[in-house]
Amino acid sequence: MEHLTLLLAIVIVTALVFDFTNGFHDTANAMATTISTGALKPRTAVAMSAVLNLVGAFLSVEVAKTISGGLINEQGIRTEVIFAALVGAILWNLFTWLLGLPSSSSHALFGGLIGATLMSVGTSGVNGGVVVTKVLLPALAAPLVAGLAAMLATRLTYRIGRGTDEKATAKGFRAGQIASAGLVSLAHGTNDAQKTMGVITLALVTGGVLSPGSNPPLWVIVSAGVAIALGTYLGGWRIIRTMGKGLTDLRPQQGFAAQTSAATVILASSHLGFSLSTTQSCSGAVMGAGLGRKGGVVRWSTATRMFVAWGLTLPAAGLVAAGAEFLTGQGAWGVAVTAALLVALSAVIWAASRRQPVDHTNVNEADGPTGTDAPSGVVAAAVAAVTPPPVGGPASEIAATIPAPGPESAGDAAGEPARPATV
């Protein structure tokens, strides 16, 4: 019993760590466009998002019930399975954060649960119908619906304001963007904090603390809300840069349309109990807003890498979780080794991120570690060295002062020496 109690405590702490990574991984969903358009300063934006994430955690438990009592069968699932699932989800979150890719924390968690359950009890432990209807289908529909809504909203916004000065109306749209960003943050807390609530509730059921089908206790709701709020406040600056500057160049009108569309989709799905990926919804809305403005572009190279990350999330997190479950199945030493590997790999990823740090001071710079814009470092210096100087710059002024050698300056047929040029 002591071992079970200790293991359950480890699982709860690990679940809150995942919730923390979910917070900083998904801060970009709510605040990337607000920061990139200058509607809010970076620190102010993440602080506002953190508070609203905490508030949103108390609004519903429908998604938590989908995870704790629907995705996998609670009967026969050991607590170690939950631990292994969280290991897979955390490592995938950290890896994609290092690359600056806005992948889905939700799908990382689902992949971890599915992979660990398959390794533990086989296909009988996974409810395939729930996976299809409440995970896979929303994953396909959410970015398309949010993107289409954002594109139409952007076109409507520009059509309504076509007779006005864009710069004059930008202030009003920035104010609207702040309000819509707050709505996205609230929706994110409502949707994503519940996923950790569901996992902790599932762990309590497998540990015999709660009966199957129970709602999350109050202390679970509070701890999950606080963990995701703290992670949000730290700010996932690498992913904020990708969504704010890497996918497209947004103006206040587009940012307002993107965030309003994404918030509507997320809140509707939370009400219906669909465990939607807020990342995919917001990314789709950003791309839709980019296409909605005349002359707007989407950087499809960045979008393609993002799509690949989305497709790999479920299987990659599932494979890592299955490996972790294989280790935890060996007994107490396997749990200890898995925990040590999680800490060590997390430390390696964090150390790698320090080589090219991104924070609130440089999140809006064009070139960065995500590789979405102009090259940096040695490559940029080499390119600059061979790039011709701009017309009208100092080099052109010198060229105008010192004419190229010709018959008048190099000497005529009579052999008269050329006069020295002066600057």
Side-chain angles (χ1 to χ4, degrees):
M1 186 67 181
E2 290 182 359
H3 170 68
L4 178 62
T5 303
L6 176 61
L7 178 60
L8 190 57
I10 292 174
V11 171
I12 292 172
V13 171
T14 307
L16 294 176
V17 171
F18 166 76
D19 203 25
F20 180 83
T21 65
N22 189 354
F24 76 74
H25 195 280
D26 289 0
T27 309
N29 296 342
M31 292 300 169
T33 59
T34 306
I35 293 171
S36 68
T37 60
L40 283 176
K41 293 182 178 180
R43 279 296 186 193
T44 304
V46 296
M48 170 184 164
S49 184
V51 172
L52 291 171
N53 266 275
L54 178 59
V55 173
F58 292 88
L59 297 184
S60 173
V61 294
E62 291 300 320
V63 176
K65 290 191 290 186
T66 296
I67 294 174
S68 63
L71 192 64
I72 62 176
N73 296 319
E74 297 167 337
Q75 293 77 13
I77 296 298
R78 300 175 298 114
T79 308
E80 291 88 343
V81 174
I82 313 301
F83 177 60
L86 290 167
V87 169
I90 290 171
L91 289 177
W92 182 254
N93 266 0
L94 292 176
F95 178 68
T96 50
W97 164 76
L98 177 65
L99 299 179
L101 291 175
S103 67
S104 171
S105 298
S106 306
H107 289 175
L109 179 60
F110 300 152
L113 284 171
I114 293 170
T117 301
L118 290 176
M119 175 60 72
S120 176
V121 299
T123 56
S124 62
V126 179
N127 293 323
V130 175
V131 173
V132 172
T133 58
K134 292 202 171 184
V135 177
L136 295 181
L137 291 180
L140 295 175
L144 294 176
V145 173
L148 181 61
M151 183 176 67
L152 295 176
T154 300
R155 291 183 177 178
L156 178 63
T157 299
Y158 275 103
R159 182 176 292 274
I160 293 174
R162 61 184 173 182
T164 61
D165 182 15
E166 185 173 330
K167 292 183 179 180
T169 59
K171 185 176 180 179
F173 278 110
R174 286 193 177 97
Q177 196 178 357
I178 293 172
S180 62
L183 191 60
V184 173
S185 296
L186 193 69
H188 182 259
T190 303
N191 195 282
D192 280 39
Q194 288 189 61
K195 292 157 189 170
T196 300
M197 296 177 205
V199 169
I200 295 177
T201 302
L202 182 60
L204 293 172
V205 170
T206 60
V209 178
L210 294 177
S211 59
S214 299
N215 287 336
L218 179 61
W219 68 267
V220 172
I221 297 174
V222 172
S223 58
V226 170
I228 200 169
L230 288 175
T232 301
Y233 180 70
L234 278 185
W237 304 111
R238 308 174 83 86
I239 301 176
I240 289 176
R241 171 180 280 180
T242 298
M243 286 191 66
K245 293 292 185 181
L247 279 175
T248 186
D249 294 318
L250 293 179
R251 297 176 182 175
Q253 293 90 328
Q254 295 168 279
F256 172 73
Q259 288 174 316
T260 303
S261 302
T264 302
V265 171
I266 295 167
L267 287 173
S269 69
S270 297
H271 178 71
L272 296 173
F274 291 113
S275 192
L276 193 69
S277 167
T278 56
T279 299
Q280 292 182 356
S281 300
C282 293
S283 300
V286 168
M287 287 187 285
L291 294 174
R293 176 171 64 87
K294 186 177 181 180
V297 295
V298 172
R299 297 183 179 91
W300 292 110
S301 59
T302 301
T304 300
R305 291 199 301 273
M306 188 176 66
F307 295 152
V308 171
W310 290 358
L312 291 176
T313 296
L314 278 170
L319 285 174
V320 174
E325 166 57 19
F326 176 78
L327 282 176
T328 59
Q330 308 306 311
W333 70 268
V335 174
V337 169
T338 303
L341 286 174
L342 173 61
V343 173
L345 290 173
S346 300
V348 168
I349 293 173
W350 181 85
S353 72
R354 296 301 87 197
R355 296 177 182 176
Q356 288 182 311
V358 181
D359 56 27
H360 66 284
T361 63
N362 62 354
V363 67
N364 276 335
E365 292 179 3
D367 54 341
T370 59
T372 56
D373 295 281
S376 60
V378 176
V379 177
V383 172
V386 298
T387 303
V391 177
S396 60
E397 294 176 4
I398 295 174
T401 306
I402 308 177
E408 293 81 11
S409 59
D412 54 18
E416 181 179 350
R419 298 177 180 176
T422 59
V423 180

